[in-house]
Amino acid sequence: MKVLITGGAGFLGSHLVDLLLKEGNEVICLDNLITGSMDNLAHLQDNKKFRFIKQDVTEYIKIDGPIDYVLHFASPASPIDYQKYPIQTLKVGALGAHKTLGLAKTKTAKFLLASTSEVYGDPLVNPQRENYWGNVNAIGPRGMYDEAKRFAEAMTMAYHRYHGIDTRIARIFNTFGERMRKKDGRVVPTFITQALANEPLTVFGDGSQTRSFCYVSDMIEGLYKLMLSVIHEPINLGNPQEMTILDFAKKIIELTKSKSKIVYKPLPQDDPKVRRPDISKARKLLKWEPKISLEEGLKKTIAWFKKSKEA
Ligand code: UDP
């Protein structure tokens, strides 16, 4: 199959590119590299089945020849990144979804949207099921990301219902692993970097807010299964093992054998108090669930951060 992926130079995008190539597909990657990096694709330089095009996907996408799948993964994805690039975030969710769906329509390709647990906002129910409509502050500091992704979901369903495009929507929950940027501001790279430097871990608020972390190889497997499925309604992908951010900080200190202390910083506005995916739908329809424990995933990630620190 020939697959086009936007955001293929990013964290999840590049891991998905690797799996797609491993499975024998041809891959075209589009990325404007504002948060993605060619370092994530450097090992593919001589791969004949891989092509990189530097492009902003909010502009018209012109590709010659057939395409079987269009995967829309481009977007700043960490709170720091999307607050630094608010307009680009809104544009890539909205215009980028429109352009990639238009491409899928022209090529009669199947389509997958990388959506997010952020569509649930600061959720009033826990765990979150796909039928929960969410609690989003459109004009708050996370609004640009949440609303862009909600728009992208609405656009995807409209192309599916109105144009009959064969679409899928993955609601991706917190995922971590190799190739996360040290400074993307998210809790996993931040805590690991702080712990390895024996600097204080910055817990926001009192650390009682919860997250559920999925290791990247599990997420990529789930995304690939969804891509090959015919499920058009949104589906949650993530690890349902929930923990508080304070416990998470302690876990990182333990696993890195760090001398770091914990310091408390103000909780950012609209920071979700709880987050945990209900993955019964993915279990049932995709026969998928995460296999890698938090500890195992963190050990691999810490080893990678140590190595890239030395490099
Ligand atoms: N967080 C923290 N310290 C940091 C970075 C993040 O306590 O240095 C908290 C943040 O307030 C949130 C959680 O960790 O409650 C996860 O944050 P992240 O930015 O990774 O992603 P989010 O799940 O909020 O989109």
Side-chain angles (χ1 to χ4, degrees):
M1 291 182 307
K2 196 159 176 178
V3 184
L4 180 139
I5 178 167
T6 72
F11 164 52
L12 286 183
S14 67
H15 281 286
L16 190 51
V17 167
D18 285 342
L19 179 64
L20 290 165
L21 290 168
K22 198 174 124 214
E23 296 288 328
N25 304 292
E26 264 181 73
V27 179
I28 302 175
C29 162
L30 266 56
D31 202 304
N32 67 357
L33 300 175
I34 64 168
T35 57
S37 166
M38 286 312 279
D39 293 349
N40 294 334
L41 302 170
H43 58 291
L44 303 175
Q45 217 174 6
D46 299 323
N47 191 319
K48 298 269 180 301
K49 291 194 157 182
F50 178 71
R51 197 171 132 209
F52 177 81
I53 302 171
K54 186 164 185 283
Q55 191 192 325
D56 185 332
V57 299
T58 64
E59 307 284 346
Y60 188 82
I61 304 168
K62 192 178 175 322
I63 303 285
D64 294 328
I67 291 175
D68 301 296
Y69 274 93
V70 175
L71 317 179
H72 186 33
F73 274 70
S75 177
S78 82
I80 280 197
D81 286 339
Y82 53 73
Q83 285 158 23
K84 185 171 169 196
Y85 302 110
I87 317 285
Q88 289 96 326
T89 302
L90 280 156
K91 282 176 71 180
V92 77
L95 306 180
H98 186 221
K99 294 288 181 289
T100 49
L101 280 159
L103 178 70
K105 180 165 157 266
T106 306
K107 303 285 185 188
T108 330
K110 298 176 171 69
F111 181 87
L112 187 149
L113 172 70
S115 185
T116 168
S117 53
E118 282 283 327
V119 299
Y120 301 121
D122 186 2
L124 303 177
V125 298
N126 197 39
Q128 294 78 51
R129 275 176 65 176
E130 290 87 349
N131 60 5
Y132 177 52
W133 291 357
N135 176 39
V136 169
N137 176 5
I139 56 163
R142 290 174 175 249
M144 71 294 275
Y145 184 61
D146 303 11
E147 293 299 352
K149 291 291 190 182
R150 287 166 71 98
F151 179 94
E153 288 198 4
M155 185 66 108
T156 302
M157 291 312 291
Y159 265 70
H160 170 61
R161 294 191 181 118
Y162 185 73
H163 288 309
I165 309 297
D166 190 354
T167 60
R168 300 122 187 81
I169 298 173
R171 289 191 180 148
I172 300 170
F173 283 64
N174 295 65
T175 304
F176 71 96
E178 296 84 343
R179 299 185 192 157
M180 288 189 102
R181 276 164 37 240
K182 233 195 309 193
K183 294 207 162 117
D184 83 355
R186 282 189 278 200
V187 72
V188 178
T190 305
F191 282 1
I192 292 178
T193 308
Q194 291 167 336
L196 291 178
N198 290 309
E199 284 165 4
L201 268 62
T202 50
V203 167
F204 296 163
D206 60 5
S208 64
Q209 70 273 33
T210 68
R211 292 295 184 274
S212 312
F213 297 101
C214 183
Y215 183 62
V216 63
S217 62
D218 281 331
M219 178 57 65
I220 298 301
E221 190 201 317
L223 287 165
Y224 194 63
K225 283 193 162 179
L226 177 60
M227 180 183 136
L228 299 180
S229 79
V230 285
I231 302 161
H232 306 300
E233 302 289 320
I235 191 150
N236 288 341
L237 294 177
N239 191 320
Q241 195 201 327
E242 183 183 15
M243 70 194 302
T244 68
I245 292 300
L246 184 58
D247 285 342
F248 185 66
K250 290 177 183 161
K251 187 87 202 154
I252 297 287
I253 291 174
E254 176 198 320
L255 293 178
T256 51
K257 302 187 179 66
S258 170
K259 296 188 194 64
S260 295
K261 301 267 178 294
I262 288 171
V263 293
Y264 295 88
K265 302 265 178 190
L267 187 69
Q269 190 198 328
D270 297 343
D271 196 293
K273 313 288 177 302
V274 289
R275 185 181 288 152
R276 177 185 175 192
D278 180 324
I279 58 163
S280 2
K281 210 167 151 182
R283 279 198 175 106
K284 187 164 160 229
L285 300 178
L286 301 176
K287 310 269 175 289
W288 171 86
E289 65 182 353
K291 295 192 278 263
I292 310 283
S293 70
L294 178 71
E295 190 151 324
E296 194 183 342
L298 281 176
K299 281 183 181 161
K300 289 177 201 268
T301 310
I302 291 165
W304 184 83
F305 270 90
K306 267 190 193 157
K307 211 173 80 202
S308 55
K309 202 172 132 197
E310 286 156 16

